[in-house]
């Protein structure tokens, strides 16, 4: 099973999809997706078999989009009453039933809620996360090296839920010392950061086949983020 998270940067996914679609993700979480209600087809030869996007009415131009390009079945859990930065889905991959959460944290007008959407979502939905194998992936806009303390707080919530970062399990790198950036500030290769993550059940860790971080030169023309792709032998 292949899961990918990618921030497409300030919309335009309808055109940028042609760059990510050939990877045929079973689950694709994309951040900063523009409204898609008027879009019948995306650019490129491959079209998603599932797509879902619900934007915050107070911030309608960009939102999390969830897609599949295979026969994986995805069903939204939240409906219209949801956390717009913490989108929950039930999923089926063959005989395997699991859950998916798409995350995108960002700054709000209230400082105390800025970049805390993942923390608040895990606190609220911890029981739901525990009821089935759950994958949480997206643009967390955070790193363990930052002074806010948000990352330590999030990891403290995820650990008892049995979730681990696929990247860190695969590459055996400590949080805050990642050697493969996922974001380049304002598209500048000289300002690299690791902000995008995919958390999987710890019992799946031994089934991680590969973790791939996109190359700057291949993605810089469409986004200041590169995809994080996780392949699991499930």
């Amino acid at each position: 099973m292949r899961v990918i998270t990618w921030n497409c940067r300030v919309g335009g996914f309808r055109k940028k999809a042609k760059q990510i679609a050939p990877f045929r993700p079973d689950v694709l979480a994309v951040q900063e997706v523009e409204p898609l209600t008027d879009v019948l087809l995306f650019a490129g030869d491959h079209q998603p078999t599932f797509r879902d996007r619900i934007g915050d009415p107070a911030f309608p131009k960009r939102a999390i989009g969830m897609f599949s390009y295979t026969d994986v079945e995805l069903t939204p859990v939240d409906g219209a009453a949801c956390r717009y930065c913490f989108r929950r889905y039930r999923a089926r991959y063959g005989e395997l039933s699991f859950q998916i959460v798409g995350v995108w944290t960002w700054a709000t007008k209230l400082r105390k809620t800025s970049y805390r959407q993942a923390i608040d979502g895990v606190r609220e939905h911890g029981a739901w996360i525990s009821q089935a194998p759950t994958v949480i992936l997206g643009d967390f806009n955070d790193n363990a090296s930052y002074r806010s303390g948000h990352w330590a707080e999030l990891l403290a919530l995820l650990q008892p839920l049995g979730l681990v970062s696929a990247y860190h399990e695969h590459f055996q790198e400590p949080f805050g010392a990642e050697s493969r950036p996922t974001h380049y500030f304002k598209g500048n290769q000289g300002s690299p950061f690791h902000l995008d993550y995919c958390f999987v059940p710890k019992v799946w860790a031994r089934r991680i086949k590969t973790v791939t971080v996109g190359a700057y030169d291949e993605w810089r023309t469409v986004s200041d983020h590169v995809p994080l792709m996780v392949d699991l032998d499930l």
Side-chain angles (χ1 to χ4, degrees), residues 101-155:
V101 178
V103 167
W104 176 35
T105 74
W106 49 283
T108 66
K109 292 181 179 180
L110 295 176
R111 185 176 179 181
K112 64 180 181 180
T113 63
S114 289
Y115 303 111
R116 292 187 56 87
Q117 291 91 344
I119 292 171
D120 294 340
V122 173
R123 285 191 185 280
E124 179 177 346
H125 298 299
W128 178 83
I129 294 169
S130 297
Q131 73 182 11
T134 301
V135 176
I136 304 179
L137 75 170
D139 176 6
F140 289 73
N141 267 313
D142 205 354
N143 188 276
S145 64
Y146 295 176
R147 291 180 295 177
S148 68
H150 291 168
W151 196 248
E153 186 177 355
L154 178 63
L155 291 182

Side-chain angles (χ1 to χ4, degrees), residues 167-200:
Y167 174 95
H168 296 85
E169 289 288 314
H170 183 72
F171 291 112
Q172 289 297 293
E173 294 179 355
F175 286 102
E178 296 85 2
S179 63
R180 298 162 180 84
T182 65
H183 172 65
Y184 298 87
F185 183 63
K186 294 185 177 180
N188 184 356
Q189 192 174 15
S191 298
F193 301 91
H194 193 101
L195 304 179
D196 304 84
Y197 305 86
C198 175
F199 289 91
V200 301

